[in-house]
């Protein structure tokens, strides 16, 4: 798997109750930060822009879901 370098990070837990009550400022922040954003509190990357998500979905060789798509680490 390729290593992502120079990826912006957003240090917010997207599953926090306060974030879940009002996620829209966080969605905006993710979009403004870049195409892919590292979420250290959740240990995952986020794609939040429509065109970037669509490009990822159209490239299964690079963005594989072969090991699952859940963010809870259940397959590990």
């Amino acid at each position: 798997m390729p290593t992502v370098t120079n990826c912006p990070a957003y240090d917010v837990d997207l599953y926090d109750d306060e974030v879940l009550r009002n996620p829209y400022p966080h969605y905006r922040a993710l979009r403004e930060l870049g195409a892919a954003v590292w979420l250290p509190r959740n240990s995952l990357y986020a794609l939040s822009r429509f065109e970037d998500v669509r490009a990822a979905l159209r490239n299964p060789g690079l963005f594989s879901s072969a090991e699952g798509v859940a963010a809870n680490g259940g397959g590990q």
Side-chain angles (χ1 to χ4, degrees):
M1 176 180 283
T3 302
V4 177
T5 58
N6 299 323
C7 183
Y10 190 58
D11 194 25
V12 168
D13 179 2
L14 290 183
Y15 300 109
D16 181 81
D17 288 340
E18 186 175 323
V19 174
L20 291 172
R21 280 191 288 276
N22 185 19
Y24 302 104
H26 302 285
Y27 296 162
R28 179 181 299 112
L30 289 169
R31 286 191 305 271
E32 290 173 354
L33 281 168
V37 178
W38 174 244
L39 303 173
R41 294 190 194 193
N42 303 109
S43 297
L44 54 85
Y45 290 95
L47 303 177
S48 60
R49 299 174 182 168
F50 177 82
E51 289 299 329
D52 299 320
V53 172
R54 185 163 69 171
L57 290 171
R58 291 180 174 176
N59 190 345
L62 183 58
F63 299 96
S64 174
S65 61
E67 294 184 34
V69 295
N72 64 5
Q76 298 176 354

